[in-house]
Amino acid sequence: MSRKIHNRPSAQTKPDRRGRAMSCRGIVLALASCMVLGASAAPASADFSYAGQIGGPGQDDGKFDRQYGVAVSPTSGNLYVADLGNNRVQVFNPGGPFLGKFGTLGSGDGQFNGPNGLAFSPSGNLYITDFFNNRVEVFNPSGTFLGKFGGPGSGNGQFSNPGGIAVSPVSGNVYVADDGNSRVQEFTPTGVFITKFGALGSDDGQFIAGPNEVAVAPGSGDVYATDYGNDRVQQFHSDGTFVAKFGTTGSGPGQFRGPEGIAFSPSSGMLYVTEHIGNRVQQFSPSGTFITQFGMPQIDGSTYLAVGPGECVYVSDFGPANIKRFGSACPPPPPPAQPVVKPPPALIAKVVNSILPNLTCVDRRKFTFPVAQSKSANGNVTRATVFVSGKNVKTVSGANITKVTIRALPKKTFTVKVLTVTTKGFQITSSRTYRACRKGERSELKRKTKHGKRR
């Protein structure tokens, strides 16, 4: 029974991810007989508090359409996400900012028709299962195509809708969950077929609606696979020999409702399993002992997951089309972007002596004078600063300043200097020396207006 990629269902009519109605699961469950390993719980190994999300539905950079595989680069720590519906892989900073993308729809080298599972090799190369093209493609971390292997079919090295993928940190060999053929296949790092194991059914080493995702234990090199239809996880030696299984159908600790993603922590060696229907993540020891659970109520239809430094867990949450982060060690999101403020253009300096009036004397109690030339090509005055004998006495701002009044001037001779800024980018300087009018003396303009009358 092959997995089907589907659109997001509503909460009321949600089928499981294999496209089967929920009522059919009773048939599947009647075939399952799973052994639970280690029923007693152990203390949680880390704080898995919710640490925010990445992405959302859409086609823009940083958005997703049915995202599945996630992987953390062992060299840069950046997060890679298989954006299946948009036929691309997107790259993010661990804190969330979008960094780049690669891939387009097609069957050529470096193209995708449903990128699904992701796994890094110890050297940093990225292996990606191409779901509908029935192959595996290999890239370097920057997205440069390096090679491919596989093809449609059920023979050795062929695939029917490959799902999850893992690279052994022990041997470097590649394990692919060949979903439609109900088996796991092992390859060399260059894609040469080595062996296969698994078949359709509920016996030890068999799968129903899976295997979905695979993970390799960092110490032993054993291979673990989620068995979606049988609600269990199965453990194999690296050569495919069945070792053990754990999990039964249910919502309790150590039970499963649609186990989907599986991943080991590269630092602690702990095993993490997501549940597509159970909407949670459970943590286990490598022997299958339940340790803790988290992700409720934030998760809505989780698929695959990855574990970064410090036990930061990245969960591909299918329903809301985002990546959810759990763990106190997760890098904090960046601060909100500040608006870009363009600096004002450099002001063009001008010296104009004709703005200030030429007077015999001025009334020291109140002196009003123009700061702009009539119909000036310099533009409107928006700021005027007045200095009297070098001291700043007044600053005025506005859309169109034409006059300024100053008071309490010195009793004898003084200099008035005006600095103005205009709408056309000019900084205009004008200055004159004045004498305070004596008792009985009136301030008088020495120049005439254009009508020939004195002011």
Side-chain angles (χ1 to χ4, degrees), residues 299-366:
I299 293 175
D300 179 20
S302 57
T303 54
Y304 297 164
L305 80 163
V307 185
E311 305 296 296
C312 179
V313 180
Y314 299 88
V315 179
S316 181
D317 201 2
F318 189 82
N322 58 37
I323 305 298
K324 289 192 166 65
R325 308 185 314 150
F326 297 90
S328 58
C330 292
Q338 298 298 318
V340 177
V341 179
K342 293 181 65 176
L347 296 173
I348 303 171
K350 278 191 174 185
V351 178
V352 180
N353 292 323
S354 60
I355 293 179
L356 290 169
N358 183 13
L359 303 175
T360 303
C361 65
V362 298
D363 187 345
R364 60 179 298 270
R365 295 170 299 178
K366 179 181 177 182

Side-chain angles (χ1 to χ4, degrees), residues 1-4 16-20 24-25 28 31 131 160-161 163-164 177-183 199-202 206-213 225-232 234 258-260 277 304:
M1 184 181 297
S2 176
R3 175 168 52 151
K4 296 180 181 179
D16 69 20
R17 290 188 58 251
R18 309 299 166 249
R20 295 165 289 137
C24 295
R25 283 185 56 79
V28 174
L31 298 175
F131 189 83
S160 175
N161 302 138
D178 189 7
D179 194 333
N181 288 320
S182 300
R183 65 186 181 182
L200 178 63
S202 296
Q206 296 182 330
F207 303 96
I208 290 182
N212 307 95
E213 174 70 298
T226 50
D227 188 3
Y228 188 95
N230 289 314
D231 283 323
R232 65 185 180 183
Q234 298 196 68
E260 180 80 11
I277 301 172
Y304 297 164

Side-chain angles (χ1 to χ4, degrees), residues 253-272:
Q255 295 182 313
F256 299 114
R257 295 178 63 226
E260 180 80 11
I262 189 168
F264 276 98
S265 165
S267 55
S268 71
M270 293 294 102
L271 181 66
Y272 296 82

